[in-house]
Amino acid sequence: HARIGAAVEEVYADRLSEHFGLLAHHFTQAQRWDKSLEYLLAAARNAERTFANREALALYDDARRSAERLAGSDADPKTLIGIHEAKARLYFVTSEFEKSAAEGERILPLARLMGNRVKEAEALAIVAWASTWGRQLDAAIRYSREAIAVAEAAGALAVQGRAHFTIGFVRGVTGVLDESRVLLDKAVEVSTAAGDPFSRSLSLSAAGLLRNWSGDYGEAARLQEQAQGLARESGLLFPLLFSLFLRGLTLTGLGEEDD
């Protein structure tokens, strides 16, 4: 298996990406855990990019096992964090929000072991966002507040913006509109300063939703058009879908159903 893997590397050196899965298989069978991990992660990323979500999840699980075998019982925390982050994204896409939150929870001890406060804050925000969609709203608020506290100490603006957005969104959909508006405006401000188009687009879309509910359709449409443009420019699928859906609600309120 090791010889086959080496031969594939040599013969297809100019297009290895077409053979990541094959290489991962052969180097895993050869117990070449360094090469196994390298190609499993590469194959998993390829699968994730092409929305082969179940395949990607299985490959990330195999990569975690190779990482553990490579390093014994103490695999590299940075590698494991990357794997759990990817799995959290994938479970979110498949609407398995409890599993997505669990992957965020698994990051926390690894980030704390490394003393990486930014990753700790990001993990808390992952749990909060997954909890939101899993309708665990008290948990979403609690984890968001913890994320803000850790992120402020670490100077992590992007995480602060994301956590403010999560709380603001939860407050909005549960009818606490004044607090929601303040928090969403804060999320737009912070995510803009952080250069984070993902959270900024989401926050603009949700801020527009609140204006829609209050009958300020023109301002709602302006904010959501801005969110939509930002998502398109940045190639962000989820914020784009989010903005299109909420903008559709605003246009309905305006009586512009054909748009």
Side-chain angles (χ1 to χ4, degrees):
H1 285 288
R3 287 196 296 271
I4 294 170
V8 172
E9 286 181 318
E10 182 178 350
V11 173
Y12 299 104
D14 58 338
R15 48 195 177 101
L16 276 184
S17 62
E18 298 174 14
H19 304 283
F20 285 154
L22 179 66
L23 287 161
H25 168 75
H26 284 297
F27 284 119
T28 299
Q29 292 301 310
Q31 298 184 22
R32 286 283 308 277
W33 303 122
D34 55 340
K35 291 280 191 177
S36 170
L37 176 61
E38 175 186 350
Y39 288 120
L40 282 167
L41 288 174
R45 293 180 189 118
N46 272 0
E48 185 177 359
R49 279 193 293 269
T50 57
F51 297 98
N53 299 319
R54 293 299 173 190
E55 179 184 350
L57 283 164
L59 287 164
Y60 279 120
D61 280 337
D62 289 341
R64 177 183 52 79
R65 285 189 283 269
S66 288
E68 290 169 349
R69 286 166 178 156
L70 176 63
S73 59
D74 296 320
D76 175 40
K78 184 177 179 181
T79 299
L80 294 179
I81 286 173
I83 290 170
H84 291 307
E85 287 175 335
K87 291 184 67 181
R89 290 193 301 271
L90 288 161
Y91 280 130
F92 189 89
V93 170
T94 60
S95 298
E96 295 173 271
F97 303 119
E98 186 175 343
K99 290 183 178 180
S100 180
E103 293 299 328
E105 292 273 15
R106 292 186 179 103
I107 295 169
L108 290 171
L110 296 167
R112 289 164 182 161
L113 178 66
M114 295 174 64
N116 190 328
R117 300 285 278 170
V118 174
K119 284 297 179 186
E120 181 183 354
E122 289 175 353
L124 291 164
I126 287 170
V127 179
W129 186 231
S131 298
T132 300
W133 289 85
R135 300 180 184 178
Q136 303 297 317
L137 301 185
D138 289 342
I141 297 293
R142 184 174 71 254
Y143 277 101
S144 291
R145 286 175 174 161
E146 289 182 33
I148 290 168
V150 175
E152 285 178 344
L157 280 178
V159 186
Q160 294 175 51
R162 182 173 180 180
H164 281 301
F165 162 71
T166 300
I167 300 174
F169 183 67
V170 170
R171 291 301 192 217
V173 298
T174 54
V176 190
L177 300 184
D178 289 341
E179 182 182 355
S180 175
R181 183 164 182 162
V182 170
L183 286 164
L184 290 173
D185 288 347
K186 177 73 170 178
V188 171
E189 176 188 345
V190 174
S191 58
T192 301
D196 176 16
F198 189 95
S199 295
R200 184 182 174 205
S201 178
L202 292 176
S203 301
L204 286 165
S205 292
L209 178 65
L210 294 189
R211 273 66 172 188
N212 177 21
W213 287 343
S214 66
D216 190 353
Y217 301 120
E219 179 64 4
R222 185 189 71 80
L223 289 169
Q224 290 164 348
E225 184 176 358
Q226 188 179 350
Q228 184 178 327
L230 182 61
R232 286 189 188 278
E233 291 166 11
S234 304
L236 299 170
L237 180 60
F238 181 79
L240 177 60
L241 295 174
F242 191 71
S243 68
L244 287 169
F245 174 69
L246 295 187
R247 182 166 164 75
L249 296 178
T250 297
L251 292 173
T252 300
L254 281 166
E256 299 178 7
E257 289 87 354
D258 291 342
D259 290 342

